[in-house]
Each structure stands twice: as C-alpha cells, then as structure tokens.
Amino acid sequence: MERGNTASKILEAIKYSGQHYKDSLPMIASENILSPLVREACNSDLHGRYAEGLPGKRYYQGCEDFDTIESIGIELAKKVFNCNFANIQSTSGTNSNLGALKALTKPGQTITAVSTADGGHISHARMGAVGMRGLDLVTYPWDEERMEPDIDAAAELIRKTKPNLALFGQSVFLFPTPLKELSDAAHEVGAKVMYDGAHVLGLIAGKQFQDPLSEGADVMTGSSHKTFPGPQGGFVLSDSEDSKFIKRLNNGIFPGVCSSYHLHHVAGKVIALSEFEKFGESYAKDIISNAKSLAQALAEEGFDVLAEDRGYTASHQVLTRHGDIDSGAGKDAALTLEKSGIITNMNMLPGDTKAMTPSGLRLGTPELTRVGMGPEEMKDVAKFFSRALIKREDPKIIKNDIKEFKSNFQTVNYCFEPGLAYPGL
Ligand SMILES: Cc1ncc(COP(=O)(O)O)c(C=O)c1O
C-alpha cells in the first residue's frame, strides 16, 4: 500500500527511536514507559474527541462514556493522592502550573520560588509560566550542602517579601522540601502555598517521600508521566473543601489553559491510577532504593556523587559532577554515555551558572526500576558508567554489552498484565 515518503520516514524514525531505548539504559529522571493497558487506552478512539467542562456539565454531546471515565478517575486520584479535590484534565506539568497560577494569583502580584539555577523548573521562572502570568519573582536562598531551601533564610525572606504565593518543588529534587516550616511562614503573611510535585508525584502517592498537602501546601501540581508512571499529562490536587477555591482551580485548567484535554491520555491516567493503587507503594520504594544503590555504587567506582553527607538521595534522582564548574564536563559526559548506550541529561549543579555548559549529570531510576532492575543491577550500571567515563573504553563495545545486559529487562512491571516494555518494533 502507498504510504508516501514522509509517512515511511516518520514511521521508520519512530521504530529506530523505540529500538534505541529498548537497547539502552534510559536514565532521564523525568521519563517512564507505559503499561500495556495504559498504552491501549492512549491508542483509542478517545484520541479525537472533545469534552470541555466537567463530568455531567459538558459543552459537547457524546460524552456519556467519557463522563464515566473522568468521574472514576477523579475519585481514584483523590484516593491515590489522599486528598479532597483532584482535576485530572491538564495536559502536562507545565499546563498544571499555568492553570494553578491562574487560579491562585493575579498579574502584578509576587511569587517566591526556587531559582532555576538551584533546580527550580523553567515554569517557575520569568521566562516561563510565572512570567506569562505577569508575576514578580523572588527566589529563595539555597542551602547547597543540604540541596534544599535554606530554611531560616527562606522563611525570613517570605516574611519580609509577603508574597501572594509561595511555590516549592524542583526539577533537581534529591530531598523532601522542609515544607512545614516554610508554609507556616507563608500562611502567616497570607500567602497561598503551592507545591510542584511533577518529579516526585509517584514517590508521594507511594508514601515514600513527603505528603505536601498535609504539610501545608494548599495546592499540589504535577506531571502524570514521571515517577507517577502514566501517559503524558498532569494533575492539580488539593485538600481544600472550599467550593469557591475548588471552582477557581477547575477554571484555571478549563477554560484557563485547556480546551481539548487529550481524552485518550485522561483514560490512560485513570488506568495508571488504578495500577498505582495496587502496585505504587512497592514501585516507589524500589525506585528510591535503586537510586540509593546507584549513588553508592557510582561513588565506589570513583565518581563525585553529590550530597554524600545526606546519603546521596531520598528520591529517584542521583547527581554526579564530572569536572570544574561551568566547564561543560557534564555535557561531555552525557555525550560519551549516549555513544555507549546510556541516556542521561547534563545538569547545572551548585556553582554552575551556564545551562549549556554545566559540570553535572542528573540521573534517574524510574524506568530501569520499571523494567525489573534492582540494587544488584545498579552496581552493573555503575560499572558501565565507569567503563565509559573513567576507563574510557571504546563506546561501541560498551554499547554492545549494554544491549546484551538490557535484553534481560524487556518487561514493564508494577502493572496489571505486565507485557513488553518497548512494543511495536
Ligand atoms: C518541577 C517541574 N515542574 C514542571 C515540569 C513540567 O512538566 P511537563 O514536562 O509535564 O510539562 C517539570 C518537568 O520536568 C518539572 O521538573
């Protein structure tokens, strides 16, 4: 059958991309893979449908079945995240933040957040969602040793600045935020508290990190596809029972920042929630124990792993420094690892000032954990790092060895009906 050049080219590139990940060690901290049932939902007719509004209050006909899906999903999200309110429509973590910022602030008001240099996300910055909402940004003093906001100095800054919103959470996220102390300071000056749990949402729902909504956050946002292993999308969550506040949160997403909200992904999210309810706690535990084992093993191989004094990590992430500050050593390391079959990303670490030539790498264990690797395999992974970056072996040889090693880890786990992790190739 005639497919045309472009379609053939695109389908071939998709196939090669899938093969690439299948044969590699995918260690980007924000990535994950779908379970077979979630994949099925994402590949459904819902892809082309619209359902503006909320279940039972739609602007379009034809939503009866989707109303069932979204209603079940809202209740399940409230259960999984242990809260009173859930909006499951947002199409990404950034979109969740935009919607929440719309609900919680007005242009010209002030927000406090973690700076991007200290690990805050771009949507917390002037060049991202915070700037788009026209907010005045003040960033927290940062404790580089503990890799968290400097508690006393940040509380003082909040009391002095009197922001309308205090935002917490990062993209570089090794340890729980000292939220109780800081949200007390924020509430004292009348600020709302928002916690961006994009990266750690699965660890929170799996009860292995912190519980922001019981520690003072008025709203928690997040992605549905990182440590929470669903399709790409987002959540907005709160413990509030104030109907006006809840209405503002819902309106922040629709009509605020979404019209179509990717119904196939919402259906996938609901299945992912149901899988998480059963398997999430053990998945979250295993992700963190693998991150700790990986950090220890990398340190034993001779790598400079950050936060040794705090046990390296309490999350899914591990940070390594590969040379002088701003030297670009992190970028070089990421390129060498990619040639060797390990997919990571360069990252700014304390002291770095240039995003394109940082000294560090950010590593994540969610995907390796999901395909069945445990602490013993983390030692093997650290050895591959050492062969690539310390012993400087031929990347082609390492890549071949990784392909063979990875061939034993091709099943997606922590879900109903475990199946091929990288299907359709
Ligand atoms: C803290 C934080 N917030 C928001 C986002 C954005 O999430 P998404 O990629 O789903 O838009 C990220 C992405 O990594 C993040 O790290």
Side-chain angles (χ1 to χ4, degrees), residues 140-335:
Y140 304 116
W142 189 252
D143 184 331
E144 292 188 354
E145 293 296 312
R146 295 184 56 78
M147 293 297 282
E148 64 183 23
D150 178 319
I151 303 180
D152 293 339
E156 196 185 323
L157 176 113
I158 291 169
R159 288 194 178 97
K160 209 170 95 200
T161 310
K162 299 187 175 39
N164 302 87
L165 181 65
L167 170 59
F168 298 101
Q170 302 104 243
S171 302
V172 177
F173 214 160
L174 293 179
F175 302 104
T177 300
L179 199 58
K180 279 204 179 101
E181 299 86 335
L182 297 175
S183 53
D184 280 353
H187 287 145
E188 241 176 76
V189 296
K192 288 282 185 210
V193 174
M194 172 171 155
Y195 179 99
D196 180 347
H199 260 268
V200 289
L201 215 51
L203 309 182
I204 289 169
K207 302 181 180 58
Q208 306 302 314
F209 196 62
Q210 66 184 137
D211 183 9
L213 293 176
S214 74
E215 292 167 24
D218 299 295
V219 177
M220 176 162 72
T221 56
S223 308
S224 51
H225 50 268
K226 295 181 170 124
T227 52
F228 181 85
Q232 291 204 330
F235 293 106
V236 177
L237 306 154
S238 176
D239 229 359
S240 175
E241 287 177 349
D242 173 351
S243 57
K244 281 194 189 143
F245 185 68
I246 283 170
K247 192 169 177 202
R248 282 201 341 249
L249 291 176
N250 276 329
N251 286 350
I253 296 299
F254 173 81
V257 293
C258 281
S259 173
S260 153
Y261 53 89
H262 306 182
L263 309 195
H264 55 319
H265 279 208
V266 172
K269 261 183 234 179
V270 182
I271 294 180
L273 281 163
S274 74
E275 294 182 331
F276 203 89
E277 194 185 15
K278 185 162 170 61
F279 306 101
E281 197 164 323
S282 57
Y283 180 46
K285 259 187 208 154
D286 293 347
I287 288 175
I288 296 173
S289 100
N290 276 347
K292 286 179 187 287
S293 302
L294 177 69
Q296 183 67 42
L298 286 168
E300 281 165 17
E301 291 292 335
F303 288 100
D304 178 4
V305 186
L306 263 66
E308 182 182 358
D309 292 348
R310 291 193 77 181
Y312 301 116
T313 184
S315 75
H316 60 306
Q317 295 185 7
V318 174
L319 301 175
T320 51
R321 199 190 288 277
H322 296 268
D324 291 340
I325 282 170
D326 280 339
S327 64
K331 182 176 185 171
D332 296 342
L335 290 170

Side-chain angles (χ1 to χ4, degrees), residues 319-395:
L319 301 175
T320 51
R321 199 190 288 277
H322 296 268
D324 291 340
I325 282 170
D326 280 339
S327 64
K331 182 176 185 171
D332 296 342
L335 290 170
T336 303
L337 288 171
E338 186 180 23
K339 284 190 200 134
S340 312
I342 303 175
I343 305 170
T344 62
N345 63 273
M346 62 178 173
N347 219 100
M348 285 169 75
L349 298 181
D352 282 325
T353 60
K354 298 190 174 79
M356 289 311 286
T357 54
S359 61
L361 289 180
R362 184 188 66 173
L363 313 172
T365 55
E367 186 165 336
L368 298 187
T369 306
R370 200 141 147 88
V371 294
M373 293 191 197
E376 278 309 304
E377 281 77 30
M378 293 304 107
K379 292 183 194 160
D380 297 328
V381 170
K383 286 202 173 73
F384 285 124
F385 270 73
S386 167
R387 286 174 60 188
L389 296 175
I390 295 177
K391 297 182 183 126
R392 296 271 162 194
E393 276 184 39
D394 182 350

